[in-house]
Amino acid sequence: LRELNRPVTKNQDAFLQRLPPELLEYIDRHCCDKISLQQIAAQCFYHPAYFSRAFKQYCGKTLSGYIKDKRMEKAAALLTNSPRASIVQVMDQCGYSDTKLFYRHFKEHFQMTPQEYRKHTMLK
């Protein structure tokens, strides 16, 4: 009876059991490409709205937030490991076409601009 009274947990477990293990790997590999909720949900044969809710329960953040975080991790790695790459090149490699959006996301994530981040990591 206790199990029947926990529909969220049961639904979450069912989602995780049917979720292909390669899905997060796919998102991680393609985070810098133009991917959408509809494309990813279709790979698992889920409705986008259901997939979105279940993904948030599973990961603790929305799919777009997860993708944004992965893009920022890649941007930070590129800024650190590719000192000759321009900010625009880094931005392009991370899947951003809008400079303002890239700078805003980067500053929200790291509390500094890409240039400041690069200088900060070079000092270490």
Side-chain angles (χ1 to χ4, degrees):
L1 288 173
R2 287 184 191 146
E3 283 299 313
L4 292 174
N5 288 329
R6 293 190 221 169
V8 174
T9 305
K10 286 182 87 174
N11 287 341
Q12 184 178 5
D13 289 342
F15 174 78
L16 295 177
Q17 289 171 359
R18 287 182 270 158
L19 185 68
E22 304 84 25
L23 185 65
L24 286 179
E25 292 172 17
Y26 173 83
I27 295 169
D28 292 348
R29 277 194 316 271
H30 296 282
C31 69
C32 296
D33 300 337
K34 188 172 184 167
I35 57 176
S36 68
L37 171 64
Q38 288 76 16
Q39 290 171 322
I40 295 170
Q43 284 194 335
C44 302
F45 305 103
Y46 287 115
H47 189 276
Y50 173 76
F51 181 83
S52 179
R53 281 192 311 274
F55 187 88
K56 186 169 182 176
Q57 284 179 342
Y58 175 65
C59 290
K61 58 179 83 171
T62 63
L63 178 64
S64 61
Y66 182 85
I67 291 171
K68 184 173 82 170
D69 288 348
K70 290 298 176 181
R71 286 179 173 182
M72 290 296 105
E73 288 173 18
K74 182 169 183 167
L78 288 170
L79 288 169
T80 303
N81 300 325
S82 305
R84 294 180 188 224
S86 70
I87 303 300
V88 173
Q89 290 171 327
V90 169
M91 179 187 85
D92 287 339
Q93 290 180 16
C94 294
Y96 283 92
S97 57
D98 183 3
T99 308
K100 286 176 102 174
L101 183 63
F102 175 72
Y103 272 82
R104 185 176 57 200
H105 284 178
F106 197 91
K107 191 154 185 166
E108 286 172 1
H109 196 81
F110 294 104
Q111 288 76 45
M112 59 181 80
T113 66
Q115 291 92 342
E116 293 169 343
Y117 184 86
R118 181 175 268 170
K119 285 179 187 175
H120 180 73
T121 57
M122 293 298 174
L123 295 176
K124 288 186 177 181

